[in-house]
Amino acid sequence: MPKLTKSERYPVRFTLNGRPVEAWAEPRTLLTDVLRHGLGSTGTHVGCEHGVCGACTVEIDGEPARACLVLAGQVDGQAVRTVEGLEPEAGRLSVLQDAFRRHHGLQCGFCTPGILMTLDCLFRARPDADEAEIRDHLSGHLCRCTGYAPIMRAALDARDRFNQARREETHA
Amino acid sequence: MKPAPFDFVRAATLAEALDALAQAGEDGRVLAGGQSFVPMLNMRLARPSVLVDIMGVADLRGIEVAKGALRIGAGVRQVELTRWADLTARLPLLAAAVPYIGHVQTRSRGTVCGSLAHADPSAELPLALIALEGEIHLRTKKAHRTVAARDFFLGMMATALRPGEMIEAVSFPLRRAGQGFGFREVARRHGDYAVVACAAVAGPQGIRLAVGGVGDVPTLRELPDPASGDLNEALNDFAWSLDAREDLHATPRYRRELVRRLGRDAIEEALRCRS
């Protein structure tokens, strides 16, 4: 059984937005710090660093999770998606991101990457999520600019557009 | 803040985890989902010198019905419990309480047993376990023992766990014929720790109410049927007996009022859905 020694660095390997990555981390290093400092993926923001604000939310093996409450070593061999993985091609916003832009679902943008990841996970799992369910998922995030109303509008609009696109695909 | 340094053991088997914990003694801690414990590390309220990650132990990932109870291994995440197909039919109290545990983003990683080991007085899972009079299965390298919920929670974030010992599984008794359940909670924000939470069980043997968020541990009491006319008086006695604490979120007086009101609501709901 391997025992990793404190204050030494070990390789951590996982896939980030579909691409295999390797970073060096101490046992105590948080996933947030590996993403931002080790891999330069600064799209994931760090707010409270104790799991309350939701800014650092990423997707781990298909589920939304707080990257600040995960040690880097815990994602070894797993699949992580971050806000950088949302755009369908370089320079083009996803349906969800575009809805946030049109509805002013962000102002300072600090909480936005986490909220996008939560909603992306939700709509992938449950494309028909109703308003109550969306609110329940958003309750894990703090936004101090918008008052949440434009975020809800963006989320509902994005959901409807996803479903419109799906219906068109089915009938085509 | 960042955690203080610690050695890290990723156990692949239960024997490896127990070996590592035995070696570490007082300085070792189990890491499961980390949703209560990593905040403690980040804030340096906990500074273990060895952390033993048990999520790679396949034997701890089981969720199964055994001896009239749902036995949930130490590696089972809360989201996996919510996806257990019979939850609403066979453990209605848990089905009602689970949506109040943290948020989607923490239930995805937090484990059922981890929440019990953390023993926050406001947490929903300890409350439900006390209300259902469940049991916790503990394990060291050399021995194992089963502890009743009421003997496990000793105080605020204090449990019967000894150095070198870990939770192997928890058993939540399944619904029996003639039982009904009610759950009520008030928090500042949905998903926050409860200011007061009440879990009621009504059955052929009478009515039990467990209250969390008020005392240092969730507390269970037998209460009279509302039809007897004595319930309000009994709830009031119960509320005063809990020695409600004052904090940022609520005064003792407000907490007592919530015990009276939520307690009654939870009991009435339990009686309504008694089968």
Side-chain angles (χ1 to χ4, degrees):
Chain A
M1 158 184 51
K3 180 170 179 177
L4 310 187
T5 309
K6 64 184 76 168
S7 306
E8 284 186 33
R9 290 152 82 85
Y10 299 88
V12 179
R13 298 181 187 90
F14 55 98
T15 68
L16 178 60
N17 299 317
R19 192 169 50 88
V21 292
E22 181 183 283
W24 289 75
E26 288 178 35
R28 63 171 174 151
T29 306
L30 301 171
L31 177 59
T32 39
D33 291 334
V34 156
L35 289 173
R36 293 176 56 84
H37 304 160
L39 297 166
S41 286
T42 53
T44 300
H45 291 171
V46 182
C48 68
E49 222 165 40
H50 60 274
V52 174
C53 76
C56 68
T57 301
V58 298
E59 182 187 308
I60 302 174
D61 280 355
E63 307 275 355
R66 313 283 207 223
C68 76
L69 298 189
V70 178
L71 299 173
Q74 289 180 287
V75 299
D76 201 74
Q78 301 191 342
V80 178
R81 282 179 80 233
T82 63
V83 70
E84 286 95 340
L86 288 184
E87 57 177 15
E89 59 194 68
R92 191 156 72 85
L93 295 179
S94 69
V95 171
L96 182 63
Q97 289 170 305
D98 189 55
F100 267 67
R101 191 177 64 171
R102 279 182 294 104
H103 290 278
H104 302 283
L106 64 150
Q107 196 171 312
C108 82
F110 197 87
C111 67
T112 315
I115 291 179
L116 291 173
M117 294 319 292
T118 285
L119 290 175
D120 190 73
C121 289
L122 171 62
F123 292 144
R124 279 164 169 249
R126 300 188 33 80
D128 302 323
D130 64 13
E131 188 169 336
E133 204 170 348
I134 295 170
R135 280 184 192 281
D136 181 51
H137 279 64
L138 287 175
S139 74
H141 293 274
L142 292 177
C143 171
R144 301 287 80 155
C145 300
T146 62
Y148 303 99
I151 293 177
M152 274 307 297
R153 281 198 292 275
L156 291 166
D157 185 26
R159 177 200 64 186
D160 293 343
R161 280 169 194 258
F162 283 135
N163 287 327
Q164 177 79 25
R166 280 200 316 158
R167 272 193 299 275
E168 280 164 13
E169 267 173 38
T170 329
H171 294 304
Chain B
M1 277 173 65
K2 316 291 179 190
F6 48 78
D7 292 341
F8 189 68
V9 177
R10 186 178 299 128
T13 64
L14 185 57
E16 283 185 2
L18 293 168
D19 269 344
L21 286 170
Q23 273 175 32
E26 298 243 348
D27 297 326
R29 289 294 294 266
V30 170
L31 177 68
Q35 300 302 289
S36 301
F37 194 55
V38 177
M40 304 269 291
L41 292 174
N42 287 358
M43 292 188 276
R44 303 203 176 188
L45 295 170
R47 303 179 70 136
S49 60
V50 183
L51 217 51
V52 182
D53 180 355
I54 60 164
M55 296 307 278
V57 180
D59 288 348
L60 297 174
R61 301 302 289 261
I63 176 163
E64 69 204 7
V65 171
K67 296 178 193 159
L70 185 67
R71 186 183 162 103
I72 302 169
V76 175
R77 300 189 195 274
Q78 291 151 14
V79 68
E80 295 170 60
L81 175 62
T82 65
R83 288 171 189 160
W84 183 57
D86 291 338
L87 189 66
T88 309
R90 305 196 70 182
L91 269 171
L93 181 63
L94 268 192
V98 165
Y100 290 90
I101 305 167
H103 302 278
V104 170
Q105 299 89 347
T106 58
R107 294 195 294 270
S108 61
R109 295 193 69 79
T111 61
V112 173
C113 292
S115 173
L116 301 172
H118 186 61
D120 189 291
S122 296
E124 290 82 8
L125 287 168
L127 176 69
L129 191 68
I130 288 274
L132 295 173
E133 301 185 293
E135 295 177 326
I136 299 184
H137 310 286
L138 306 176
R139 192 77 189 255
T140 61
K141 191 177 169 184
K142 293 193 176 135
H144 53 88
R145 60 185 177 129
T146 293
V147 176
R150 67 179 172 279
D151 299 324
F152 182 75
F153 301 103
L154 302 182
M156 191 178 285
M157 294 161 127
T159 68
L161 273 169
R162 298 169 184 155
E165 194 172 45
M166 62 176 277
I167 297 181
E168 184 180 11
V170 59
S171 293
F172 283 94
L174 297 168
R175 169 187 222 158
R176 290 190 292 275
Q179 281 189 322
F181 304 89
F183 184 83
R184 288 288 186 279
E185 173 172 321
V186 164
R188 292 295 300 264
R189 191 174 64 128
H190 177 68
D192 283 357
Y193 278 115
V195 172
V196 172
C198 289
V201 181
Q205 277 86 44
I207 295 168
R208 303 196 298 269
L209 181 71
V211 174
V214 185
D216 285 347
V217 292
T219 309
L220 184 67
R221 188 178 274 204
E222 304 271 337
L223 289 170
D225 195 289
S228 71
D230 299 332
L231 180 61
N232 285 347
E233 187 68 24
L235 273 171
N236 188 47
D237 287 347
F238 191 15
W240 278 96
S241 75
L242 293 169
D243 200 16
R245 64 180 186 278
E246 165 106 46
D247 62 19
L248 273 177
H249 307 300
T251 60
R253 185 178 173 174
Y254 178 54
R255 283 199 158 90
R256 285 192 295 272
E257 183 62 11
L258 286 176
V259 171
R260 289 186 286 258
R261 290 182 182 232
L262 299 183
R264 191 176 183 98
D265 285 352
I267 287 170
E268 284 172 353
E269 185 184 353
L271 289 167
R272 269 199 307 278
C273 55
R274 190 155 57 170
S275 57

